[in-house]
Amino acid sequence: MRSQLCGLRKETIVAGRLDDKVALISGAARGQGAAEARLFAREGAKVVIGDILDAEAEQTAAGIEAAGGAAVHVHLDVTQEADWREAVSAAVGSFDRLNVLVNNAGILRMEGLEETTIEVWNEVIAVNQTGVFLGMKYAIPAMRAAGGGSIINISSTSGLIGSPKASAYHASKGAVRLLTKSAAIQYASENIRINSVHPGVITTTMVTENVDADTRALFEQATPLGREGTVEEVANGALYLASDESSYMTGAELILDGGYTAQ
């Protein structure tokens, strides 16, 4: 596996599958979003890294720049309309256009239905569902001006199937799945493609901080490939959807779960 751009060994970025594209990625300071940002930059995209973790986001952007890529950081609380306006403006102002949006930011809460407080419910819905809605709402006009684009909404296998826990998370990710389909139909005639990605259990800080080791072990045992996924594997899926290789794909679901939902 290639080392991270922020590591000790620098990589030279060469243009490729996303040459001449500008991508805005939410929740890109670390983990899955950072992996997407680094991969997109390696493939030729200019990247706008949006996150509330400003110091880490700036470090990720600096690593991409140090390797020869183009990246800027913007403060982005995905629940705030003003932040989305500024993020899209930063993309257009820095790089002249916006071609790709990855709605990656998300939070996980593991409470069951009766244990979920209204405060937890509202928090999860605001980030995971409203954040995706706002991202699309403010990115689409910029994509229209650019002649089209690709929106990638990170949902989850929790948006496809249920479980005994994480009621708010399931609700939010299921909403992302159908909002994606609705928007895809609305904007297909404008060459704006919109698809959702449904990862299974991925080794991220969000998972390690919210899912206990026994539960993770049960997921591994129930997964045909017998392991958790990596952030790089999810980033590769997002890369395909961001690229012109997926030009006939919209309103679809890309499932990256090691076969978990195939059973």
Side-chain angles (χ1 to χ4, degrees), residues 102-114:
V102 184
N103 275 312
N104 174 79
I107 58 175
L108 171 63
R109 300 291 182 265
M110 291 298 291
E111 293 89 346
L113 193 146
E114 290 183 84

Side-chain angles (χ1 to χ4, degrees), residues 237-262:
L239 171 62
Y240 169 68
L241 294 176
S243 76
D244 294 337
E245 296 163 17
S246 58
S247 58
Y248 197 54
M249 188 173 179
T250 196
E253 301 151 3
L254 181 60
I255 302 172
L256 303 170
D257 68 349
Y260 184 83
T261 59

Side-chain angles (χ1 to χ4, degrees), residues 152-234:
I152 301 144
N153 294 328
I154 306 298
S155 179
S156 168
T157 52
S158 294
L160 301 173
I161 60 174
S163 79
K165 296 183 179 180
S167 297
Y169 187 74
H170 278 283
S172 68
K173 293 302 187 177
V176 167
R177 173 178 175 264
L178 284 184
L179 179 58
T180 296
K181 292 181 181 296
S182 176
I185 294 168
Q186 292 178 55
Y187 295 101
S189 64
E190 299 188 69
N191 194 35
I192 298 173
R193 300 183 298 104
I194 309 172
N195 295 285
S196 58
V197 177
H198 297 261
V201 179
I202 307 298
T203 306
T204 62
T205 301
M206 186 178 78
V207 168
T208 58
E209 289 181 348
N210 291 282
V211 185
D212 63 74
D214 289 342
T215 301
R216 291 173 68 186
L218 289 174
F219 273 114
E220 283 195 16
Q221 292 169 17
T223 298
L225 289 183
R227 62 173 177 84
E228 294 183 351
T230 68
V231 294
E232 290 81 11
E233 287 170 321
V234 178

Side-chain angles (χ1 to χ4, degrees), residues 74-149:
V74 295
H75 181 84
L76 177 57
D77 178 342
V78 297
T79 70
Q80 301 299 311
E81 287 191 79
D83 282 13
W84 274 113
R85 291 191 193 99
E86 289 298 320
V88 172
S89 294
V92 175
S94 298
F95 303 123
D96 298 325
R97 62 191 178 278
L98 179 63
N99 310 105
V100 177
L101 169 67
V102 184
N103 275 312
N104 174 79
I107 58 175
L108 171 63
R109 300 291 182 265
M110 291 298 291
E111 293 89 346
L113 193 146
E114 290 183 84
E115 294 72 42
T116 300
T117 65
I118 190 62
E119 291 79 15
V120 167
W121 175 270
N122 288 338
E123 178 188 30
V124 172
I125 297 301
V127 175
N128 294 1
Q129 182 175 335
T130 304
V132 169
F133 157 70
L134 290 175
M136 292 196 291
K137 178 180 176 67
Y138 287 102
I140 283 170
M143 290 185 176
R144 181 182 295 122

